[in-house]
Amino acid sequence: MMLDCLVIGGGPAGLTAAIYLARFRRSTLVVDAGESRAAWIPVSHNHAGYPEGIRGKELLGAMRQQAERYGADFRGGRVESLERLGTGDGDGFRARLADGGEIDARFVLLASGIVDLMPEMPALYQAVQRGLIRLCPICDAFEVIDHRIAVLGHGAHAAREALFMRTYSPNVTILSLGIPPELPEGEQARLRDAGIRWLDSPVREIGEEAGRVAVLTLEDGCVYSFDTVYSALGIAPRRQPVLGLQPEFDEDGRLLVGDRLETSVPGLFAAGDIVSGLNQISVAMGQAAIATTAIHNRLRALQGGWSEGPAPRA
């Protein structure tokens, strides 16, 4: 059976895509490894429509229920690779899964996301849920106004995150974990001018006091207390399924796409954090809406010889 669209990934982008495609009356299967980055969110306060905030797992559950209501199908598993079945538009792809299964689809939407590179520590997930370790200052910096903030990292990403946090607190420290700084010329001077402290010694232990204050013991024996620790160690895009298709990537390893979210491989679309841009739920959902409307219109043209129809509004 040739599906209209295979969606790889069950995070906000993949689930939004499933809702749209199901309501477009397209045969759709979502293959989900159950590793959405959104599942780590303790409570999102900047996702519109939830004035009291919403837990990441709760949001994912509601979105999946909505997609299933309209007929989208789901399969647990991991797509290992994709190959094209032809060179014409709509000839499709064959996906090979880790369990040996195969799925054919005319179009593919990759919504596999990214993995945050995290500090090695026991009970990491629980630490994130308690707010001891945070991942997204755009999402939750408002909740840490005037806190004592530590940023774990050593490169330009950590420097940018520390400078971003100065909007919210005068007390920001970068912990480079013993790795020499890898910064553009003049960046360390910018940090000093902003009053941001830089500590070079590796972190030996992370603890807590009173349920939330992070206590970091460094290799040099010094102990520091912070209200919040942000991890800025970088990301790893989940791009394994499409490597064999040789699409174009940006310098961070994320997929480059056009204004309708199609990659350089015809018929392969992408949405969410796997696409270069802002790692936000609202962005992922918007990208999925644009991509799936483009896919639906391509299918209309293939199946009936109709015009492509109105372009999706960005």
Side-chain angles (χ1 to χ4, degrees):
M1 174 185 174
M2 175 76 76
L3 293 169
D4 288 329
C5 188
L6 169 65
V7 178
I8 302 174
L15 293 172
T16 300
I19 292 168
Y20 271 71
L21 288 165
R23 288 176 58 83
F24 284 142
R25 306 181 68 187
R26 297 300 179 184
S27 56
T28 304
L29 176 66
V30 180
V31 176
D32 180 23
E35 298 173 346
S36 172
R37 186 171 180 253
W40 284 69
I41 299 173
V43 181
S44 174
H45 292 283
N46 71 338
H47 187 50
Y50 297 93
E52 301 303 321
I54 183 169
R55 292 180 59 82
K57 287 185 176 180
E58 182 182 352
L59 178 64
L60 292 173
M63 294 178 72
R64 175 163 175 160
Q65 182 181 10
Q66 186 174 353
E68 290 175 330
R69 173 177 296 178
Y70 295 113
D73 290 325
F74 288 80
R75 176 173 175 173
R78 190 182 306 277
V79 175
E80 292 288 337
S81 65
L82 289 168
E83 66 172 292
R84 296 188 70 185
L85 298 178
T87 58
D89 195 25
D91 284 349
F93 299 83
R94 176 161 293 156
R96 289 188 168 84
L97 279 64
D99 62 8
E102 294 183 349
I103 301 167
D104 292 346
R106 296 198 183 282
F107 293 91
V108 172
L109 174 67
L110 185 69
S112 52
I114 58 175
V115 177
D116 290 286
L117 303 180
M118 299 286 281
E120 293 185 10
M121 61 176 291
L124 178 62
Y125 177 79
Q126 290 77 11
V128 173
Q129 297 307 297
R130 293 197 306 270
L132 185 63
I133 301 289
R134 294 177 182 262
L135 304 176
C136 178
I138 293 175
C139 305
D140 54 27
F142 187 88
E143 278 66 52
V144 298
I145 291 174
D146 290 335
H147 281 203
R148 296 167 297 172
I149 297 169
V151 176
L152 299 179
H154 51 84
H157 178 64
R160 289 194 301 269
E161 193 154 308
L163 289 165
F164 180 90
M165 295 307 302
R166 279 293 284 112
T167 307
Y168 297 90
S169 173
N171 192 329
V172 179
T173 300
I174 294 177
L175 301 173
S176 71
L177 308 177
I179 300 174
E182 302 169 359
L183 299 175
E185 186 177 352
E187 196 72 5
Q188 283 187 297
R190 286 188 65 201
L191 295 172
R192 286 194 299 270
D193 292 344
I196 295 171
R197 181 173 51 174
W198 185 291
L199 300 178
D200 287 323
S201 183
V203 176
R204 187 174 69 203
E205 184 180 355
I206 301 177
E208 62 178 293
E209 293 175 352
R212 73 179 184 92
V213 177
V215 181
L216 281 78
T217 304
L218 306 189
E219 287 290 351
D220 61 12
C222 294
V223 178
Y224 298 88
S225 292
F226 300 97
D227 299 303
T228 301
V229 176
Y230 276 91
S231 178
L233 298 174
I235 56 95
R238 292 190 177 109
R239 57 181 188 161
Q240 175 62 36
V242 301
L243 289 179
L245 298 175
Q246 298 184 324
E248 294 181 4
F249 298 100
D250 69 8
E251 60 183 10
D252 294 324
R254 304 202 215 198
L255 281 164
L256 292 172
V257 294
D259 59 359
R260 297 191 187 185
L261 283 304
E262 190 169 18
T263 70
S264 59
V265 178
L268 174 65
F269 290 74
D273 293 350
I274 191 64
V275 175
S276 180
L278 201 60
N279 299 336
Q280 292 288 290
I281 292 173
S282 56
V283 173
M285 294 171 69
Q287 289 175 336
I290 294 170
T292 51
T293 302
I295 291 169
H296 172 61
N297 284 332
R298 290 269 280 279
L299 286 163
R300 287 175 57 210
L302 289 169
Q303 293 169 345
W306 310 319
S307 65
E308 191 173 346
R313 295 173 183 262

